[in-house]
Amino acid sequence: MAEIALRDVRKTFGRGRDAVTALDGCTFTVPDGEFVTLLGPSGCGKTTALDLVAGFTASTAGRVTVGGREVTRPGPERAVVFQDSALFPWLRVEDNIAFGIRMAGRPAREIRERVDRLLERVGLTEFRRRYPAELSGGMRQRVSLARVLALDSAVLLMDEPFGALDAQTRGLMQEFLTGIWERDRRTVLFVTHDLDEAVFLADRVLVMTARPGRIKQELQVDLPRPRAPDIMATPRFHALRDEIRRLVRDEAIRTMRPLATERGAS
Amino acid sequence: MLWQLSVSAGLVRAELLPGPGEVSATLLDLVFANSGAAGRYSGDWPEHATASLIRVYAGFALAVAAAVPVGIGIGSSRTFERVVDPTIQLLRNIPITGFVPIAIVLFGLGDRPAIYLIALAAFFPTVVNTSYGVRQIDQRIVRSALMMGAGPFQRLVRVILPAALPAIFTGLRLSMGVAWVLVVVAEFIGVRSGLGYLLFDAYQFFAPHVMLATMFSIGLLGFVSDRLILLIRLRVLAWNRLGTLRG
């Protein structure tokens, strides 16, 4: 079981006058083996929520649990894919992928075999001796995905992993990720601000409010699997996306309100 | 060219500033004792150069051995930074030549005060650059290592050190340069060997051609030392080639 659960979580950064509350009363669950996307206007605390689950920061109040156990620090049972890859620039592709398995102290032969298999899975076998700087953005994110799959984690946390890619590459990466996920169904929490992406990938979409963030609404995505990009042309997809668009728009407007009143006053 | 021309044209007096031709002949004679151009210094260079090289590299090695760990400490711990950094910044601003008397008082004469001075001077560029290198590490890279299960030691050796290495190498190059400056200063006093001593001796006995040849040879050794570090950098940091804005 690797269920992610946040119960009444608050997270405040800074102190006194400079204090910013990123999350307040944030409660949600990602059931074991489900793909959940977390969607919301920029600055709403999506990434903060993900950092809490990853164990990079601690909550100010409330409980964050994975598989029933309180999260206290980062660890390989909760793998993270960052925006803009965050690969080790001094390691070749194959060594980046092997890093986590090496940390786990696996024997050399097993490491080699697993790296070979993963390279093949992400289609980068012929680039194994390259450094990250020599790859395109899409290739780098495939390496990030491979190094995380190597950990064999029950939980996958993804923070706008395709946000920095061009639309074409992003579409291909979404398709690629769906294919991988549909094979071994890990628990995934995927942060994004892209509506199509949120609906296409997810079993369930969580829409967040403007800061301080909490869950505004939860929507079941009842589109059939396996999914291919042509699903985005179906009426059901459009209906879901439009409903979510409305929800997010309301929140985005709320974050813009100070701006609107300023303009009205002048 | 300009140098040779001005000497030949009589713009400067050859007995004060010998031309490059004479200086090269002197240098060759200093090294190989082949022409007698260096007079009574003929063939003295290898011995002095060896003495200087030993001091420079010993001082440099001591400096680096201390500066890299301290720099990593300053760069990664706020508390460590608060305790150690002000002291370092204060000491850094005292001209190293100001430490000459205290070095002699503490270590007497001979190799030890020279090595101490070189180590002290070479310490600062590497410590400052190392701490900078650690401080500028992308937080997500450290988080990646944490998330993949790297412990404190593994993070240090496999993440922080390699990530800071480009900045550390910049520090090493600056430190090596400073070490060559200091060896000359240190050898002016208290020792009877080394290129600094040779230079000072040639000055006292008024042998400008030997002075210039020695200066040139110090520059050459400094240059070669720097190239050596660059060569190591090239091998160690294959992923981080030194490029310029124009490629």
Side-chain angles (χ1 to χ4, degrees):
Chain A
M1 279 299 282
E3 181 187 82
I4 302 169
L6 273 74
R7 289 281 162 270
D8 222 9
V9 167
R10 189 172 77 237
K11 175 69 186 175
T12 306
F13 293 101
R15 269 182 206 166
R17 284 164 56 103
D18 296 330
V20 172
T21 301
L23 298 172
D24 199 5
C26 187
T27 297
F28 67 83
T29 304
V30 182
D32 187 44
E34 231 182 66
F35 198 122
V36 170
T37 50
L38 193 56
L39 188 71
S42 53
C44 73
K46 305 180 293 258
T47 297
T48 304
L50 187 124
D51 284 351
L52 289 171
V53 179
F56 294 142
T57 50
S59 62
T60 311
R63 270 168 66 85
V64 180
T65 59
V66 171
R69 293 232 299 272
E70 189 121 18
V71 172
T72 52
R73 66 172 87 108
E77 68 284 357
R78 280 161 287 122
V80 184
V81 179
F82 300 86
Q83 187 176 8
D84 289 331
S85 87
L87 295 169
F88 302 126
W90 57 90
L91 294 181
R92 295 175 193 277
V93 165
E94 54 185 8
D95 295 316
N96 262 293
I97 296 175
F99 190 92
I101 328 176
R102 291 217 168 100
M103 291 301 106
R106 311 303 305 174
R109 222 189 104 179
E110 188 193 323
I111 294 174
R112 209 169 38 245
E113 282 170 9
R114 268 165 80 179
V115 169
D116 287 349
R117 219 169 33 243
L118 285 160
L119 278 165
E120 204 167 312
R121 217 169 152 192
V122 297
L124 289 173
T125 304
E126 51 186 309
F127 296 97
R128 60 186 304 158
R129 305 281 298 158
R130 299 284 189 91
Y131 289 103
E134 300 170 324
L135 304 177
S136 69
M139 285 158 113
R140 279 204 289 271
Q141 280 309 49
R142 277 188 286 170
V143 179
S144 307
L145 203 56
R147 81 167 176 185
V148 145
L149 292 173
L151 300 172
D152 222 9
S153 326
V155 170
L156 218 61
L157 307 169
M158 307 181 89
D159 186 11
E160 301 199 34
F162 310 141
L165 305 178
D166 61 87
Q168 189 65 33
T169 313
R170 186 186 308 183
L172 290 172
M173 290 298 291
Q174 288 162 359
E175 211 180 319
F176 177 72
L177 177 64
T178 306
I180 283 180
W181 181 82
E182 281 169 358
R183 264 176 58 181
D184 50 29
R185 308 232 166 193
R186 297 160 204 246
T187 309
V188 179
L189 180 62
F190 188 106
V191 165
T192 181
H193 60 252
D194 180 324
L195 294 166
D196 288 333
E197 180 170 82
V199 178
F200 175 70
L201 293 170
D203 294 315
R204 188 198 306 252
V205 178
L206 304 174
V207 179
M208 284 185 81
T209 64
R211 198 170 64 208
R214 55 193 165 69
I215 303 304
K216 182 187 176 81
Q217 196 155 336
E218 194 174 312
L219 290 101
Q220 203 74 30
V221 179
D222 46 6
L223 298 167
R225 288 190 186 272
R227 288 180 197 164
D230 51 16
I231 208 164
M232 295 199 210
T234 62
R236 184 64 199 138
F237 185 90
H238 282 248
L240 277 164
R241 195 194 53 194
D242 291 343
E243 187 178 351
I244 293 166
R245 187 200 301 281
R246 219 175 34 251
L247 291 166
V248 175
R249 202 182 117 82
D250 290 346
E251 293 307 316
I253 287 171
R254 279 182 43 192
T255 64
M256 304 276 264
R257 188 157 295 154
L259 207 82
T261 40
E262 252 169 59
R263 201 176 292 151
S266 64
Chain B
M1 278 286 276
L2 195 66
W3 178 16
Q4 179 68 69
L5 278 176
S6 26
V7 175
S8 307
L11 287 175
V12 289
R13 283 160 59 197
E15 61 269 31
L16 289 183
L17 188 72
E22 193 190 340
V23 171
S24 349
T26 308
L27 183 54
L28 283 175
D29 186 53
L30 274 174
V31 180
F32 302 111
N34 59 347
S35 64
R40 67 183 190 87
Y41 299 103
S42 181
D44 280 358
W45 192 85
E47 184 197 326
H48 290 303
T50 310
S52 290
L53 277 167
I54 289 172
R55 288 176 195 134
V56 164
Y57 281 88
F60 178 76
L62 281 173
V64 171
V68 171
V70 173
I72 288 177
I74 293 172
S76 43
S77 155
R78 181 78 43 197
T79 323
F80 196 85
E81 186 196 349
R82 288 219 178 103
V83 175
V84 178
D85 205 48
T87 318
I88 288 179
Q89 299 307 332
L90 180 74
L91 289 176
R92 195 164 70 94
N93 284 302
I94 303 172
I96 296 299
T97 41
F99 284 93
V100 171
I102 195 79
I104 293 173
V105 169
L106 281 176
F107 297 103
L109 298 176
D111 269 347
R112 285 174 54 195
I115 292 173
Y116 161 78
L117 278 175
I118 293 164
L120 187 67
F123 174 77
F124 298 112
T126 298
V127 83
V128 170
N129 277 282
T130 303
S131 65
Y132 164 75
V134 172
R135 227 173 271 151
Q136 55 84 46
I137 296 175
D138 187 341
Q139 181 189 231
R140 291 168 318 149
I141 280 189
V142 179
R143 287 183 164 187
S144 292
L146 281 167
M147 162 285 276
M148 289 190 280
F153 179 73
Q154 288 164 322
R155 286 203 300 280
L156 178 68
V157 173
R158 285 170 176 270
V159 179
I160 291 170
L161 207 54
L165 219 45
I168 293 176
F169 266 100
T170 303
L172 295 184
R173 290 182 67 189
L174 293 169
S175 286
M176 185 54 96
V178 171
W180 279 102
V181 172
L182 257 289
V183 77
V184 174
V185 175
E187 286 170 351
F188 276 0
I189 35 121
V191 286
R192 301 193 63 80
S193 66
L195 295 172
Y197 167 76
L198 181 62
L199 183 61
F200 199 65
D201 199 62
Y203 160 72
Q204 285 187 316
F205 290 91
F206 195 66
H209 57 303
V210 175
M211 281 163 57
L212 284 172
T214 308
M215 280 162 62
F216 184 71
S217 75
I218 294 169
L220 209 64
L221 287 177
F223 176 78
V224 169
S225 301
D226 184 57
R227 287 289 130 166
L228 211 63
I229 296 176
L230 274 179
L231 207 68
I232 297 169
R233 187 193 195 283
L234 203 65
R235 304 211 64 175
V236 179
L237 294 177
W239 59 279
N240 185 299
R241 297 257 152 74
L242 273 179
T244 60
L245 277 178
R246 295 198 178 177

